[in-house]
């Protein structure tokens, strides 16, 4: 049931010679990096660097991921079974595309070199809208073909939620909020 | 599975990044060859686009292990505490590499630190943390790989596969809409890329334009000369006409060579100019000498060191023309360096001098 948890339920704490060797080698490499960072402190600005590092971890752990898990849970609870997978696909792809496009959408780069028209030459909001339209057309196609297949397979009434009626939450119901979708969109959208 | 994919992507980024670093700041034992022409274009393209593909894979991996953050008790013994503490530099460092990397190729420098040095040293810290993490997770990794060959356990396996496919689709769409800035067959699809092939003066993107580089006012100076000197028998000072007359003579040469930017984009173009090798022979340089190329630009990237392999390559040019027309100011007018298998930042523009070392 813990399918997508990377670790099994109760992983043993690390032990054995492989762990201690890995720790020594990895620790040495990491310290080499840290020493380099500190040695070049006038360029790397370790305090600013640390603020970025911690800030990103906090934003990720306490804003982005809870949002993703909440979306995943709502998707599981509300979407018809045959639509869950296409919606999950669409939400993951959309969230990732939006996140990865933030630098081109914000467009600060154009101000970095005002005379250089080859920097960020596109109309990125429009382009992103186009790409997302294609993605969601794919989602729609998958969803419709999935529910049609399901209806054909089970001609009895009320088929789309039929699996839920079996008593269990359906074969795909795992722990809530585990798989999920990304980013800043609500599942119904 | 996600972990393995992430490991491969990170490994490619690390190796190609280290390579790029070595090429730009070569230690004594390292000499980057001028052939094959396309090699740097590929290694740096892999660096940037594997980094982009790693965004969804990393997020998927983190989302799937997120519940572990709240596992109770948080720490069971010293080894476990070390392992968990190591997650902070691993996670924070990787996020830092990817986020600042994505912003950097979008020319968004929202930080006060030096990107290259910080990216470089952070990569070492992440590598160390990754080795520690792998050592801790080795038994889990083994079990996971073994499970793949065992009978699939029905529903949860289907669910896992669907999640992987969603992640793969996200990575695929991201690559399809960006990688065309380097990979020509996909150029029309690169609608989300900060650069487009074919977009720029003379149909070629520009990394830094003449005005931003602070050289625009000096380009039309009638007193401009190219000084060719250093450890040579017959130093020379050449006017633009001197160079043009050499270009139409036996020293003239044309070559199709790519500009391969460290930011991942690359594009091939047709360059015409004077063979550097022939010019070096004219002034009486040693055949195994390295050469420093100096720009009118001041500050970062204003000069580049060419090793003997690049200096003597028959396609290394002091270029005066691009795609059949005189260089646009943003491409390095009056004359620029173009060499095969050379990072874009070392293809110095707006030349002032060539010094044989």
């Amino acid at each position: 049931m813990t399918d997508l948890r990377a670790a099994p339920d109760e992983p043993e704490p690390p032990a054995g010679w492989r762990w201690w060797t890995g720790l020594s080698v990895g620790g040495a490499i990491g310290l080499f990096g840290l020493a380099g960072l500190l040695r070049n402190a006038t360029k790397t600005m370790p305090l600013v660097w640390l603020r970025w590092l911690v800030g990103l971890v906090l934003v990720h752990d306490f804003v982005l991921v809870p949002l993703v898990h909440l979306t995943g849970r709502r998707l599981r609870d509300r979407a018809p079974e045959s639509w869950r997978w296409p919606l999950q696909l669409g939400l993951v792809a959309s969230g990732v595309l939006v996140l990865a496009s933030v630098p081109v959408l914000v467009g600060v780069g154009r101000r970095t070199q005002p005379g250089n028209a080859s920097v960020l030459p596109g109309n990125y909001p429009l382009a992103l809208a186009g790409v997302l339209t294609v993605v969601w057309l794919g989602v729609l196609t998958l969803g419709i073909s999935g529910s049609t297949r399901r209806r054909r397979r089970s001609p009895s009434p009320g088929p789309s939620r039929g699996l839920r009626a079996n008593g269990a939450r359906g074969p795909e119901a795992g722990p809530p909020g585990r798989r999920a979708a990304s980013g800043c969109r609500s599942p119904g959208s | 599975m996600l972990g393995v994919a992430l490991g491969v992507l990170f490994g490619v980024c690390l190796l190609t990044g280290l390579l790029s670093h070595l090429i730009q700041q070569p230690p004594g034992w390292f000499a980057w060859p001028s052939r094959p022409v396309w090699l740097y274009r590929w290694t740096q393209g892999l660096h940037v686009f594997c980094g982009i593909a790693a965004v969804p894979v990393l997020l998927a991996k983190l989302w799937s292990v997120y519940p572990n953050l709240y596992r109770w008790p948080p720490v069971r013994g010293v080894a476990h505490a070390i392992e968990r503490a190591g997650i902070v530099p691993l996670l924070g460092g990787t996020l830092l590499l990817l986020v600042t990397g994505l912003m950097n190729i979008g020319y968004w420098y929202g930080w006060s630190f030096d990107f290259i040095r910080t990216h470089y040293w952070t990569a070492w810290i992440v590598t160390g943390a990754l080795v520690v993490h792998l050592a801790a997770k080795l038994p889990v990794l083994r079990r996971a790989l073994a499970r793949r060959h065992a009978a699939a356990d029905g529903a949860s396996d289907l669910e896992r596969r669907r999640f992987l496919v969603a992640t793969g689709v996200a990575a695929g769409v991201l690559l399809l809409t960006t990688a065309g800035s380097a990979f020509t067959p996909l150029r029309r699809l690169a609608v989300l890329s900060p650069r487009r092939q074919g977009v720029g003066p003379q149909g070629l993107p520009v990394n830094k334009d003449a005005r931003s580089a602070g050289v625009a006012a000096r380009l039309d100076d009638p007193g401009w000369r190219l000084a060719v000197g250093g450890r040579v028998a017959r130093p020379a000072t050449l006017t633009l006409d001197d160079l043009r007359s050499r270009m139409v003579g036996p020293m003239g040469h044309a070559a199709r060579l790519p500009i391969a930017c460290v930011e991942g984009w690359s594009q091939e173009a047709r360059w015409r100019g004077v063979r550097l090798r022939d010019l070096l022979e004219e002034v009486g340089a040693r055949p195994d000498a390295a050469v420093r190329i100096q720009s009118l630009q001041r500050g970062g990237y204003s000069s580049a060191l060419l090793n003997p392999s690049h200096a003597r390559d028959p396609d290394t040019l002091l270029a005066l023309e691009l795609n059949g027309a005189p260089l646009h100011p943003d491409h390095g007018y009056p004359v620029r360096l173009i060499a095969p298998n050379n990072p874009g930042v070392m293809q110095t523009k707006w030349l002032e001098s060539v010094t044989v070392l």
Side-chain angles (χ1 to χ4, degrees):
Chain A
M1 84 144 211
T2 50
D3 45 82
L4 288 169
R5 289 178 212 231
D9 279 345
E10 281 303 324
E12 318 88 51
W17 67 271
R18 286 196 181 88
W19 154 248
W20 292 110
T21 310
L23 180 64
S24 319
V25 174
I29 297 173
L31 286 177
F32 168 70
L34 191 63
L37 196 86
L38 295 175
R39 225 178 28 246
N40 293 281
T42 50
K43 299 276 188 183
T44 57
M45 305 190 167
L47 283 178
V48 181
W49 175 85
L50 194 66
R51 265 212 303 277
W52 268 79
L53 190 126
V54 173
L56 284 169
V57 172
L58 293 180
V59 168
H60 174 268
D61 278 4
F62 300 110
V63 179
L64 189 63
V65 187
L67 233 130
V68 169
H69 280 256
L70 201 71
T71 312
R73 187 181 300 226
R74 288 183 63 182
L75 185 70
R76 175 184 311 258
D77 292 345
R78 301 205 181 164
E81 202 277 332
S82 61
W83 278 89
R84 265 182 230 157
W85 150 240
L87 285 174
Q88 179 191 20
L89 188 81
L91 287 167
V92 168
S94 306
V96 164
L97 280 164
V98 169
L99 279 181
S101 302
V102 167
V104 294
L105 289 173
V106 172
V108 173
R110 288 197 190 94
R111 289 203 295 277
T112 311
Q113 280 191 66
N116 188 349
S118 71
V119 171
L120 306 184
N123 181 344
Y124 295 100
L126 189 71
L128 184 63
V131 175
L132 291 179
T133 305
V134 174
V135 167
W136 284 92
L137 282 176
V139 169
L140 212 61
T141 314
L142 268 179
I144 290 172
S145 70
S147 40
T148 315
R149 248 201 326 271
R150 194 167 294 271
R151 221 169 290 135
R152 250 191 244 130
R153 249 187 285 146
S154 55
S156 56
S160 74
R161 295 211 171 215
L163 284 166
R164 238 179 221 218
N166 291 343
R169 295 184 66 215
E172 279 145 53
R178 181 101 358 249
R179 52 219 117 123
S182 122
C184 331
R185 297 173 64 102
S186 68
S189 62
Chain B
M1 185 67 185
L2 285 170
V4 172
L6 205 53
V8 170
L9 291 171
F10 184 84
V12 171
C13 283
L14 177 70
L15 291 178
T16 51
L18 282 178
L19 183 68
S20 185
H21 187 80
L22 281 175
I23 296 167
Q24 291 176 61
Q25 295 171 25
W29 52 268
F30 182 84
W32 181 240
S34 64
R35 301 282 160 160
V37 172
W38 45 264
L39 189 57
Y40 184 76
R41 185 180 189 185
W42 272 90
T43 62
Q44 197 57 19
L46 278 173
H47 182 80
V48 169
F49 293 108
C50 283
I52 289 177
V55 171
V57 183
L58 175 75
L59 291 176
K61 167 81 180 160
L62 294 178
W63 299 341
S64 69
V65 297
Y66 184 64
N68 293 345
L69 184 62
Y70 300 106
R71 177 163 283 162
W72 201 261
V75 163
R76 287 172 292 147
V78 177
H80 192 222
I82 297 174
E83 182 216 333
R84 293 209 70 176
I87 301 284
V88 177
L90 181 62
L91 168 60
T94 311
L95 286 172
L96 187 87
L97 289 175
L98 290 184
V99 169
T100 58
L102 267 179
M103 288 170 70
N104 189 66
I105 63 168
Y107 286 65
W108 181 6
Y109 311 123
W111 45 77
S112 44
F113 46 72
D114 176 284
F115 171 75
I116 297 171
R117 282 180 185 80
T118 310
H119 202 69
Y120 176 79
W121 290 113
T122 306
W124 280 115
I125 293 172
V126 171
T127 305
L130 184 63
V131 171
V132 174
H133 184 67
L134 285 177
K137 295 295 177 195
L138 208 60
V140 181
L141 189 67
R142 278 222 197 98
R143 269 203 300 274
L145 291 174
R147 242 204 331 265
R148 283 191 62 215
H149 301 292
D153 53 345
S156 78
D157 186 64
L158 178 70
E159 216 173 280
R160 188 189 301 115
R161 266 187 290 141
R162 286 180 163 182
F163 185 67
L164 289 177
V165 170
T167 308
V169 167
V173 175
L174 207 52
L175 283 180
L176 273 178
T177 51
T178 53
S181 63
F183 188 55
T184 310
L186 294 178
R187 70 182 182 282
R188 287 183 198 288
L189 294 178
V191 290
L192 296 180
S193 168
R195 299 304 198 132
R196 300 289 306 265
Q197 281 195 350
V199 176
Q202 296 177 290
L204 184 70
V206 167
N207 183 279
K208 191 150 201 161
D209 63 287
R211 204 176 67 170
S212 305
V215 298
R218 303 176 62 190
L219 299 183
D220 289 325
D221 178 4
W224 177 86
R225 300 286 185 275
L226 179 70
V228 186
R231 300 174 69 175
V232 298
R234 301 170 290 280
T237 305
L238 305 172
T239 65
L240 188 52
D241 282 338
D242 292 336
L243 286 166
R244 281 190 186 128
S245 65
R246 280 169 176 76
M247 178 174 74
V248 296
M251 283 190 195
H253 184 63
R256 285 196 70 84
L257 294 173
I259 290 282
C261 186
V262 286
E263 286 142 18
W265 66 267
S266 57
Q267 188 186 330
E268 204 174 69
R270 189 170 185 279
W271 306 89
R272 185 165 171 246
V274 180
R275 258 198 185 117
L276 179 63
R277 183 178 73 178
D278 296 348
L279 193 64
L280 292 176
E281 268 167 32
E282 183 188 308
V283 295
R286 278 193 348 267
D288 59 346
V291 174
R292 179 162 294 286
I293 307 284
Q294 174 65 48
S295 170
L296 292 169
Q297 185 188 352
R298 292 294 173 255
Y301 308 123
S302 62
S303 78
L305 186 69
L306 279 185
N307 67 30
S309 161
H310 283 88
R312 295 285 160 169
D313 191 284
D315 278 347
T316 297
L317 300 176
L318 299 183
L320 300 166
E321 290 184 2
L322 161 59
N323 290 335
L327 287 177
H328 185 279
D330 290 345
H331 282 306
Y333 176 87
V335 60
R336 76 170 297 165
L337 172 76
I338 182 86
N341 197 27
N342 202 30
V345 290
M346 294 166 72
Q347 309 276 35
T348 309
K349 302 195 275 193
W350 314 295
L351 297 192
E352 182 178 57
S353 65
V354 173
T355 307
V356 177
L357 304 175

